[in-house]
Structures are given as structure tokens and as C-alpha cells.
Amino acid sequence: MINLFKKFKTIAIVGLEKNTGKTETFNFLLKHLQKDFVLGVTSIGIDGEDTDQVTFTKKPNILVDNGILFVTTENFYKRKNFLSEILYVSDRSTSTGRVIIAKALEKGKIILSGPTTIQWLKEINSILQTFGVEKILIDGALSRISSSTLSDAVVLSTGAAVSLDIEKIVEKTLDLFYKINLPLYPEKLDIKSGIFTKDLKLIARSSLNINDLSLIKDQKEILIGGALTEKFLRKLINNNTYPTLVVKDFSKIFVNSFYLKLYQKKGGKILVLHKPNLCLVTVNPYSPNGFVIDDKLLIEKLSSKIKLPILNVRKVEGEWI
């Protein structure tokens, strides 16, 4: 596993749905990567609570060991019960106080509570590196899946929380896998919010309310600085209009992969400006309702479609590390 992450500095762990084992995967990576690297751990939002705030089910805690740098906010920092050294306090505040970077001086449980925006998280990651952090783990929930755009590598957690039907889990996982692996645009661009021509002339403020396709009809390429929606893509298909679409990253694509494939089959292209390296998929066979699915069968079915390591972190520690 060390070799799998050796070349990456920032690793985001994202869940396909809530309760797909993201925090357990996070702890698994934390436990093993800290043997070889100076680690920093952070989140966009709050992670590590005892209970899920939506399903009210018990969640695994995040445990940091001596030497790990962690990011949290004032309110949660005061609630920890282990020794640590504060290294940095932000000028800005979140709803739970200023952001703190601290070094654990002994093992303990922590609630991660990071910056509230991607840009701020990027700044905090840079500060972590000035303190000698070699690898950063970002705990990212589904609603915060865009945190993966800051990372070099992504670990995806999936499982019974998605569905109790293994075929549906496979279908939804492959749908996201397809979006993550859309081809990279060959140039570096910074697109502002809106839809633009290749020479950055504004066509519309959003793909949500664009009705007149005449401005797009003659374009070979358009840049989308917000969400690519299924309604917009279907409208292009229905009007036989197939410009190359350039989107910031997979998290901005709200389209079933069926329509993405159909668009491309008819001659269109969809490219992204940022493509993270999905390097590991983990499965959690336990649903929040207490049902358990066959993790071996799920891994078999996913492995037949995805050529990446796929595992249940509860079962493979000894043979995989």
C-alpha cells in the first residue's frame, strides 16, 4: 500500500454515499501511512463525530497518534482529551471558531473541522506543508466531493449504504468511476462561473437556464465554469449540437454516465480541467439499517470492471500492507 500512495502528496477519501465506510477507510490509511510519512489530516466541514447527524447511527472516531498534525476549529479543539501543540491559528473564523493546526503529542480522538471553502482548504494544505507534512489526508463527504479536486489521489468508498442490491451498487460506482476518468483537457485554464466560448466570450450565466442554443450551434468548443446538468446535455443531444464540452472536474457533472456516453457516441467530447488519480476503492458491506451484503461478491463484480485495488479494509490488513 505504501507504494500505491508514494508519489502522491494529498489524498482525499470520498464516499459515494453517507455511511459507505469513508471514516473507516480514513483511519485505515492514517494508521498505515504514518509509519513512513509525516502526516497531516484535515477536512472540509466536520468529520469524526460519534453519531451521524442525519441517520443518527454510531460512527467510527478519528484517532490521531503522536506526531500527526491535525486541523480542527476552536470549539472542537477544546473538546479533545489528549496533549497537543498549537502551531497555527487562522485570522478567519468558521461557525465553530478559528481554524487551528496542531501537532498531537499523544494518541487521542479528534473531530476534524476544517475550512469551509475549497480555496481556504488549499491555503491550509500549503501551511501544513510548511510544518514538514509529507502527506495530507482529506476526509471528504459526498456533498464535499469537490474536495477531491485539491488532491493528487482519491480513494472512493462504496457499499451497502448505496443500496442492498449489489447490481445497483456496481452501477452507481461505475457511473462515478466513468466521470472521474473523463479525459483531461490539454491546456490549463481558469474558468469563471458561466458558459463561455473558447475565446472566453460569455454565452450564458449557467447551463440551468440556457434556452437559446443558437449561440452554441456554431461553436466547436465551449467552456463550462459551473455545473454540467443532464437537462442541458439532453437539450444539446435533442438539437444535434455536439461541441466539445470542457468542465472543471467530475464533481461538477450532474449527468448520468448513460447520457455522457450517448453524447460522445454521437460525436461530442467531454473533457475536464482537473482529473484526480483514483487509486483505491473500498467497500463497506454494512448498511446503516443493519443489513449486510456479500462483500466478496461485490468486490468480484467491481473488479471485473475496475482495474484498481478493491478491498474491505476490515479484512485485508495482514495480507495487503
Side-chain angles (χ1 to χ4, degrees), residues 9-11 26 38-44 64 67-72 85-89 99-104 112-115 120-139 150:
K9 284 187 176 177
T10 309
I11 304 155
F26 187 90
V38 178
L39 290 187
V41 294
T42 184
S43 167
I44 185 163
V64 291
I68 290 178
L69 275 67
F70 60 90
V71 178
T72 191
E85 176 188 4
I86 293 178
L87 303 175
Y88 166 86
V89 180
V99 172
I100 291 172
I101 295 177
K103 182 178 183 180
L112 299 178
S113 175
W120 194 0
L121 179 60
K122 190 176 180 181
E123 293 170 22
I124 291 295
N125 286 353
S126 296
I127 296 169
L128 277 169
Q129 290 180 18
T130 66
F131 290 119
V133 165
E134 296 171 309
K135 295 201 183 295
I136 299 170
L137 296 184
I138 304 174
D139 193 326
L150 282 187

Side-chain angles (χ1 to χ4, degrees), residues 148-165:
S148 60
T149 61
L150 282 187
S151 60
D152 306 314
V154 170
V155 175
L156 174 65
S157 298
T158 185
V162 176
S163 171
L164 295 180
D165 182 341

Side-chain angles (χ1 to χ4, degrees), residues 160 164 166 283 285 292-300 315:
L164 295 180
I166 286 180
V283 303
V292 184
I293 61 169
D294 184 342
D295 60 328
K296 190 177 175 185
L297 180 61
L298 176 59
I299 290 172
E300 273 180 16
K315 289 188 175 178

